[in-house]
């Protein structure tokens, strides 16, 4: 897909899942199930996206949920790319 031409495969898939519906929060296992990627691979990329401020997390008990950071300056562009692909 076009998004995979711009970003590495794992990042592209996480951006697609998290930015397509920015109001949706996903748990690590949800991301793994939806993407078909290994949990460890997702954890590494989640750390990169968090460091860049592109995603935010919230804790519910012992679970961490992730969603797109709608306050980030490039959020609209990334959401547009995610929706178009």
């Amino acid at each position: 897909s076009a998004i995979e031409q711009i970003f590495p495969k794992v990042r592209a898939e996480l951006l697609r899942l998290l930015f397509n519906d920015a109001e949706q929060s996903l748990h690590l296992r949800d991301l793994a199930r939806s993407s078909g990627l290994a949990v460890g691979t997702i954890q590494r990329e989640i750390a990169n996206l968090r460091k860049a401020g592109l995603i935010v997390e919230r804790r519910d008990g012992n679970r961490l949920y992730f969603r797109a950071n709608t306050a980030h300056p490039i959020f609209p562009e990334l959401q547009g790319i995610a929706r178009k692909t």
Side-chain angles (χ1 to χ4, degrees):
S1 74
I3 196 168
E4 287 179 2
Q5 298 297 319
I6 301 169
F7 300 107
K9 181 182 178 185
V10 175
R11 186 169 304 146
E13 186 61 19
L14 291 180
L15 290 174
R16 184 185 67 77
L17 290 170
L18 294 170
F19 281 73
N20 204 16
D21 180 4
E23 298 304 313
Q24 180 181 6
S25 294
L26 295 169
H27 179 266
L28 193 63
R29 297 278 179 206
D30 296 331
L31 291 168
R33 229 176 280 118
S34 297
S35 68
L37 299 167
V39 171
T41 303
I42 294 171
Q43 285 175 318
R44 282 188 296 278
E45 192 56 41
I46 287 288
N48 292 333
L49 294 172
R50 280 186 16 224
K51 200 180 313 180
L54 293 172
I55 62 172
V56 293
E57 64 183 40
R58 72 172 170 82
R59 184 171 291 281
D60 183 13
N62 64 345
R63 288 186 165 203
L64 272 179
Y65 289 87
F66 305 97
R67 68 174 181 79
N69 180 1
T70 57
H72 196 282
I74 65 169
F75 168 78
E77 287 82 5
L78 289 175
Q79 186 178 48
I81 291 169
R83 286 184 172 170
K84 290 174 187 165
T85 57

